[in-house]
mmCIF file of all heavy atoms in Angstrom:
data_model
loop_
_atom_site.group_PDB
_atom_site.id
_atom_site.type_symbol
_atom_site.label_atom_id
_atom_site.label_comp_id
_atom_site.label_asym_id
_atom_site.label_seq_id
_atom_site.Cartn_x
_atom_site.Cartn_y
_atom_site.Cartn_z
ATOM 1 N N LYS I 67 67.898 50.098 18.757
ATOM 2 C CA LYS I 67 67.095 50.627 19.861
ATOM 3 C C LYS I 67 67.992 51.299 20.906
ATOM 4 O O LYS I 67 67.670 52.366 21.414
ATOM 5 C CB LYS I 67 66.285 49.503 20.505
ATOM 6 C CG LYS I 67 65.094 49.098 19.663
ATOM 7 C CD LYS I 67 64.281 48.031 20.340
ATOM 8 C CE LYS I 67 63.120 47.625 19.450
ATOM 9 N NZ LYS I 67 62.366 46.509 19.995
ATOM 10 N N LEU I 68 69.129 50.631 21.210
ATOM 11 C CA LEU I 68 70.049 51.229 22.181
ATOM 12 C C LEU I 68 70.541 52.573 21.690
ATOM 13 O O LEU I 68 70.667 53.531 22.451
ATOM 14 C CB LEU I 68 71.232 50.288 22.412
ATOM 15 C CG LEU I 68 70.955 49.103 23.313
ATOM 16 C CD1 LEU I 68 72.127 48.142 23.278
ATOM 17 C CD2 LEU I 68 70.731 49.567 24.733
ATOM 18 N N MET I 69 70.840 52.638 20.376
ATOM 19 C CA MET I 69 71.322 53.894 19.817
ATOM 20 C C MET I 69 70.245 54.967 19.945
ATOM 21 O O MET I 69 70.543 56.118 20.278
ATOM 22 C CB MET I 69 71.692 53.682 18.349
ATOM 23 C CG MET I 69 72.956 54.386 17.954
ATOM 24 S SD MET I 69 73.385 53.967 16.276
ATOM 25 C CE MET I 69 74.424 52.559 16.503
ATOM 26 N N ALA I 70 68.978 54.573 19.699
ATOM 27 C CA ALA I 70 67.890 55.542 19.824
ATOM 28 C C ALA I 70 67.779 56.035 21.264
ATOM 29 O O ALA I 70 67.592 57.232 21.511
ATOM 30 C CB ALA I 70 66.578 54.905 19.370
ATOM 31 N N ILE I 71 67.920 55.094 22.237
ATOM 32 C CA ILE I 71 67.863 55.498 23.647
ATOM 33 C C ILE I 71 68.971 56.487 23.956
ATOM 34 O O ILE I 71 68.762 57.527 24.590
ATOM 35 C CB ILE I 71 67.973 54.261 24.561
ATOM 36 C CG1 ILE I 71 66.749 53.371 24.404
ATOM 37 C CG2 ILE I 71 68.126 54.670 26.004
ATOM 38 C CD1 ILE I 71 66.851 52.082 25.165
ATOM 39 N N LEU I 72 70.189 56.180 23.460
ATOM 40 C CA LEU I 72 71.344 57.049 23.738
ATOM 41 C C LEU I 72 71.127 58.435 23.147
ATOM 42 O O LEU I 72 71.316 59.451 23.833
ATOM 43 C CB LEU I 72 72.613 56.410 23.168
ATOM 44 C CG LEU I 72 73.905 57.163 23.420
ATOM 45 C CD1 LEU I 72 74.105 57.355 24.905
ATOM 46 C CD2 LEU I 72 75.084 56.416 22.837
ATOM 47 N N VAL I 73 70.714 58.482 21.866
ATOM 48 C CA VAL I 73 70.494 59.782 21.229
ATOM 49 C C VAL I 73 69.405 60.548 21.963
ATOM 50 O O VAL I 73 69.532 61.752 22.218
ATOM 51 C CB VAL I 73 70.126 59.591 19.741
ATOM 52 C CG1 VAL I 73 69.606 60.885 19.144
ATOM 53 C CG2 VAL I 73 71.329 59.123 18.960
ATOM 54 N N PHE I 74 68.351 59.841 22.378
ATOM 55 C CA PHE I 74 67.267 60.519 23.072
ATOM 56 C C PHE I 74 67.742 61.078 24.409
ATOM 57 O O PHE I 74 67.435 62.216 24.771
ATOM 58 C CB PHE I 74 66.098 59.558 23.271
ATOM 59 C CG PHE I 74 64.872 60.245 23.756
ATOM 60 C CD1 PHE I 74 64.073 60.931 22.865
ATOM 61 C CD2 PHE I 74 64.547 60.233 25.087
ATOM 62 C CE1 PHE I 74 62.961 61.597 23.316
ATOM 63 C CE2 PHE I 74 63.429 60.895 25.536
ATOM 64 C CZ PHE I 74 62.637 61.575 24.656
ATOM 65 N N LEU I 75 68.520 60.276 25.153
ATOM 66 C CA LEU I 75 69.039 60.753 26.440
ATOM 67 C C LEU I 75 69.916 61.975 26.240
ATOM 68 O O LEU I 75 69.841 62.948 26.985
ATOM 69 C CB LEU I 75 69.841 59.650 27.131
ATOM 70 C CG LEU I 75 69.084 58.601 27.917
ATOM 71 C CD1 LEU I 75 70.058 57.658 28.585
ATOM 72 C CD2 LEU I 75 68.217 59.254 28.970
ATOM 73 N N LEU I 76 70.771 61.931 25.194
ATOM 74 C CA LEU I 76 71.704 63.040 24.997
ATOM 75 C C LEU I 76 70.997 64.292 24.489
ATOM 76 O O LEU I 76 71.485 65.399 24.700
ATOM 77 C CB LEU I 76 72.816 62.638 24.020
ATOM 78 C CG LEU I 76 73.806 61.603 24.560
ATOM 79 C CD1 LEU I 76 74.915 61.368 23.572
ATOM 80 C CD2 LEU I 76 74.378 62.048 25.889
ATOM 81 N N LEU I 77 69.857 64.114 23.814
ATOM 82 C CA LEU I 77 69.131 65.299 23.350
ATOM 83 C C LEU I 77 68.300 65.920 24.465
ATOM 84 O O LEU I 77 68.204 67.131 24.575
ATOM 85 C CB LEU I 77 68.212 64.942 22.173
ATOM 86 C CG LEU I 77 68.876 64.758 20.812
ATOM 87 C CD1 LEU I 77 67.827 64.459 19.765
ATOM 88 C CD2 LEU I 77 69.647 65.998 20.418
ATOM 89 N N THR I 78 67.673 65.069 25.322
ATOM 90 C CA THR I 78 66.777 65.624 26.323
ATOM 91 C C THR I 78 67.504 65.987 27.614
ATOM 92 O O THR I 78 67.041 66.863 28.336
ATOM 93 C CB THR I 78 65.656 64.632 26.669
ATOM 94 O OG1 THR I 78 66.258 63.430 27.122
ATOM 95 C CG2 THR I 78 64.788 64.346 25.481
ATOM 96 N N GLY I 79 68.644 65.325 27.892
ATOM 97 C CA GLY I 79 69.361 65.598 29.129
ATOM 98 C C GLY I 79 69.683 67.066 29.328
ATOM 99 O O GLY I 79 69.313 67.654 30.357
ATOM 100 N N PRO I 80 70.363 67.700 28.360
ATOM 101 C CA PRO I 80 70.687 69.117 28.516
ATOM 102 C C PRO I 80 69.444 69.993 28.639
ATOM 103 O O PRO I 80 69.452 70.969 29.397
ATOM 104 C CB PRO I 80 71.451 69.465 27.246
ATOM 105 C CG PRO I 80 71.744 68.217 26.569
ATOM 106 C CD PRO I 80 70.931 67.142 27.136
ATOM 107 N N THR I 81 68.374 69.627 27.930
ATOM 108 C CA THR I 81 67.157 70.435 28.017
ATOM 109 C C THR I 81 66.595 70.406 29.434
ATOM 110 O O THR I 81 66.231 71.445 29.995
ATOM 111 C CB THR I 81 66.106 69.905 27.023
ATOM 112 O OG1 THR I 81 66.742 69.672 25.772
ATOM 113 C CG2 THR I 81 64.996 70.891 26.835
ATOM 114 N N ALA I 82 66.558 69.199 30.033
ATOM 115 C CA ALA I 82 66.045 69.087 31.398
ATOM 116 C C ALA I 82 66.961 69.834 32.368
ATOM 117 O O ALA I 82 66.488 70.567 33.241
ATOM 118 C CB ALA I 82 65.929 67.621 31.787
ATOM 119 N N SER I 83 68.308 69.672 32.194
ATOM 120 C CA SER I 83 69.249 70.372 33.070
ATOM 121 C C SER I 83 69.059 71.872 32.964
ATOM 122 O O SER I 83 69.036 72.589 33.973
ATOM 123 C CB SER I 83 70.692 70.047 32.670
ATOM 124 O OG SER I 83 70.986 68.725 32.930
ATOM 125 N N TYR I 84 68.921 72.352 31.711
ATOM 126 C CA TYR I 84 68.749 73.789 31.507
ATOM 127 C C TYR I 84 67.468 74.263 32.166
ATOM 128 O O TYR I 84 67.451 75.333 32.801
ATOM 129 C CB TYR I 84 68.730 74.101 30.013
ATOM 130 C CG TYR I 84 68.335 75.519 29.703
ATOM 131 C CD1 TYR I 84 69.224 76.554 29.957
ATOM 132 C CD2 TYR I 84 67.089 75.816 29.199
ATOM 133 C CE1 TYR I 84 68.873 77.850 29.704
ATOM 134 C CE2 TYR I 84 66.722 77.111 28.942
ATOM 135 C CZ TYR I 84 67.608 78.136 29.194
ATOM 136 O OH TYR I 84 67.248 79.417 28.947
ATOM 137 N N ALA I 85 66.393 73.456 32.064
ATOM 138 C CA ALA I 85 65.117 73.852 32.676
ATOM 139 C C ALA I 85 65.274 73.967 34.184
ATOM 140 O O ALA I 85 64.811 74.938 34.793
ATOM 141 C CB ALA I 85 64.029 72.841 32.315
ATOM 142 N N ILE I 86 65.979 72.988 34.811
ATOM 143 C CA ILE I 86 66.165 73.036 36.266
ATOM 144 C C ILE I 86 67.006 74.246 36.653
ATOM 145 O O ILE I 86 66.657 75.016 37.552
ATOM 146 C CB ILE I 86 66.812 71.732 36.765
ATOM 147 C CG1 ILE I 86 65.887 70.548 36.516
ATOM 148 C CG2 ILE I 86 67.136 71.828 38.233
ATOM 149 C CD1 ILE I 86 66.517 69.226 36.824
ATOM 150 N N ALA I 87 68.153 74.435 35.925
ATOM 151 C CA ALA I 87 69.057 75.529 36.267
ATOM 152 C C ALA I 87 68.361 76.867 36.101
ATOM 153 O O ALA I 87 68.457 77.744 36.964
ATOM 154 C CB ALA I 87 70.300 75.463 35.379
ATOM 155 N N ASN I 88 67.618 77.016 35.001
ATOM 156 C CA ASN I 88 66.976 78.293 34.736
ATOM 157 C C ASN I 88 65.862 78.560 35.747
ATOM 158 O O ASN I 88 65.692 79.688 36.206
ATOM 159 C CB ASN I 88 66.419 78.272 33.308
ATOM 160 C CG ASN I 88 66.262 79.667 32.757
ATOM 161 O OD1 ASN I 88 66.880 80.593 33.252
ATOM 162 N ND2 ASN I 88 65.439 79.817 31.758
ATOM 163 N N ALA I 89 65.121 77.485 36.130
ATOM 164 C CA ALA I 89 64.066 77.665 37.122
ATOM 165 C C ALA I 89 64.669 78.084 38.458
ATOM 166 O O ALA I 89 64.149 78.978 39.131
ATOM 167 C CB ALA I 89 63.273 76.382 37.275
ATOM 168 N N ALA I 90 65.810 77.450 38.830
ATOM 169 C CA ALA I 90 66.462 77.810 40.087
ATOM 170 C C ALA I 90 66.946 79.248 40.039
ATOM 171 O O ALA I 90 66.825 80.005 41.006
ATOM 172 C CB ALA I 90 67.627 76.862 40.367
ATOM 173 N N LEU I 91 67.485 79.652 38.873
ATOM 174 C CA LEU I 91 67.987 81.016 38.728
ATOM 175 C C LEU I 91 66.840 82.026 38.825
ATOM 176 O O LEU I 91 66.945 83.040 39.523
ATOM 177 C CB LEU I 91 68.693 81.153 37.383
ATOM 178 C CG LEU I 91 69.449 82.458 37.141
ATOM 179 C CD1 LEU I 91 70.705 82.472 37.980
ATOM 180 C CD2 LEU I 91 69.790 82.614 35.684
ATOM 181 N N LEU I 92 65.715 81.721 38.151
ATOM 182 C CA LEU I 92 64.577 82.648 38.153
ATOM 183 C C LEU I 92 63.943 82.745 39.532
ATOM 184 O O LEU I 92 63.397 83.774 39.898
ATOM 185 C CB LEU I 92 63.527 82.189 37.130
ATOM 186 C CG LEU I 92 63.884 82.414 35.665
ATOM 187 C CD1 LEU I 92 62.743 81.952 34.787
ATOM 188 C CD2 LEU I 92 64.195 83.867 35.414
#
Side-chain angles (χ1 to χ4, degrees):
Chain I
K67 284 182 182 175
L68 283 171
M69 221 175 269
I71 293 174
L72 182 57
V73 168
F74 190 80
L75 278 183
L76 290 185
L77 283 182
T78 58
T81 314
S83 292
Y84 171 73
I86 296 173
N88 204 20
L91 188 73
L92 286 182

